[in-house]
Amino acid sequence: MRFAKLVPTLLLVGFVVMACGGTNNPGTTATKKIALLLPESKTARYESKDRPFFTAKLKSLGFNTDADLIYSNANQDAPTQQTQAEAALTNGASVLVLDPVDGAAAAAIVAKAKAKNVPVISYDRLILGTADLNYYLSFDNAAVGALQGTALLTALNGKASARVVEINGDPADNNAKLFKQGAHSILDGKVSIVAEYDTPSWSPDKAQTEMQGAITAKGKNIDGVLAANDGTAGGAIAAMKAAGITPLPPITGQDAELAAIQRILSGEQYMTVYKALKAEAEAAATLAYDLATGAAVPSSMTNGKTTNNGASDIKSVLLTPVAVTKANIKDTVVADGFWTKADICTATFAAACTTAGIS
Ligand code: BGC
């Protein structure tokens, strides 16, 4: 997909959310506190993209992020996140923006927030089984898995009975379930999935162990790997390299991490999925700001789109993910300013960048 086609979709679906808070004058003093609770730090996006984009947007709205933004990262531990959320409530948070480690367990956090009349925004991952959740902001996550499956089929180029290893994410993350469903909806009946794993905590190390296990059990004859994100893709690639598999088969990913973009350029990874994290984080910041300051909530949050979390239909904004291969790095992540040419095209990748037209 050309990036030019993507922008209007993002504008329509996502950026509308920012309309309300975006019109507030910078310089307005907000006295209420906002808590941002992120799930882990092994995956690069949270500290390098989500947190800075969220903070910068709040600042631009006049929010005093130094004094009034409470930030915690749970390092993929649900009890830690529960403690961090309780601390945020005790410290006077008036809104929780919560990306849950465990979607079901996080319902207990929503109950504590509700008891204090504090609204909760489910950020990126859906909090399950509670009717008290206020909003859900994410991407179309089944579409992410479908993009991965479709790209893998393209790379397999019609190969009969292709042998695929599938490395899914953490089963406690509702997104992992959706990625998996999306991938299966494309691959089932078209390839032979010879081994499949759910990866606890989305850990790249565990993905590496899983891939080693697949090679030991099924042999080196692997035609493709469906890895749910770039971290697990990195683990799978390390295992295949250690086993001496050359050339590497096509492997998918997600997050458009810098390391993955560079692996795509060098031919080690076939694709990734780019999600416009700036749009996601800014929409969450704007909504949190409006809730904290009592401003009217943007109409795009109340005009119909909902996602059922097992207990209720939650008002939602779901942004559109985009598949990235060598052919469109320039028109997606570079065009969007997610990574600059200077970020990507270090000396090692200079020649590959030129070939890919990133110059
Ligand atoms: C996110 C992905 C991320 C994964 C691991 C998912 O919920 O949507 O972007 O790679 O968690 O943190």
Side-chain angles (χ1 to χ4, degrees), residues 97-153:
V97 179
L98 173 58
D99 190 338
V101 171
D102 181 318
I109 296 174
V110 177
K112 295 246 158 141
K114 171 82 179 172
K116 292 194 149 195
N117 258 331
V118 170
V120 179
I121 302 168
S122 199
Y123 182 71
D124 198 69
R125 302 176 179 175
L126 183 59
I127 300 167
L128 302 170
T130 168
D132 292 329
L133 178 62
N134 301 81
Y135 297 99
Y136 173 48
L137 271 175
S138 189
F139 287 82
D140 180 341
N141 292 305
V144 170
L147 288 174
Q148 293 168 332
T150 302
L152 192 58
L153 282 188

Side-chain angles (χ1 to χ4, degrees), residues 46-81:
Y46 301 107
E47 296 297 335
S48 74
K49 298 287 182 186
D50 297 88
R51 180 185 183 184
F53 283 143
F54 185 90
T55 307
K57 183 65 189 178
L58 278 184
K59 249 187 203 150
S60 79
L61 294 171
F63 190 83
N64 183 347
T65 50
D66 293 331
D68 297 329
L69 174 60
I70 300 169
Y71 175 74
S72 301
N73 188 308
N75 288 316
Q76 201 54 45
D77 185 65
T80 299
Q81 189 165 60

Side-chain angles (χ1 to χ4, degrees), residues 75-234:
N75 288 316
Q76 201 54 45
D77 185 65
T80 299
Q81 189 165 60
Q82 172 90 27
T83 306
Q84 291 173 338
E86 283 169 14
L89 289 169
T90 306
N91 290 336
S94 61
V95 182
L96 300 187
V97 179
L98 173 58
D99 190 338
V101 171
D102 181 318
I109 296 174
V110 177
K112 295 246 158 141
K114 171 82 179 172
K116 292 194 149 195
N117 258 331
V118 170
V120 179
I121 302 168
S122 199
Y123 182 71
D124 198 69
R125 302 176 179 175
L126 183 59
I127 300 167
L128 302 170
T130 168
D132 292 329
L133 178 62
N134 301 81
Y135 297 99
Y136 173 48
L137 271 175
S138 189
F139 287 82
D140 180 341
N141 292 305
V144 170
L147 288 174
Q148 293 168 332
T150 302
L152 192 58
L153 282 188
T154 302
L156 290 169
N157 199 18
K159 179 167 181 160
S161 314
R163 291 161 54 82
V164 168
V165 174
E166 183 165 329
I167 299 187
N168 303 306
D170 184 338
D173 171 4
N174 185 63
N175 283 349
K177 194 181 88 188
L178 298 172
F179 302 149
K180 186 173 169 177
Q181 278 170 2
H184 276 287
S185 75
I186 300 294
L187 294 179
D188 287 359
K190 302 216 178 66
V191 300
S192 164
I193 297 175
V194 294
E196 176 167 5
Y197 306 88
D198 290 330
T199 310
S201 302
W202 284 98
S203 159
D205 300 346
K206 286 179 185 143
Q208 185 169 347
T209 309
E210 289 162 359
M211 193 68 215
Q212 271 160 7
I215 295 166
T216 306
K218 306 291 174 181
K220 295 183 187 178
N221 174 19
I222 292 162
D223 297 310
V225 178
L226 189 296
N229 74 348
D230 291 333
T232 51

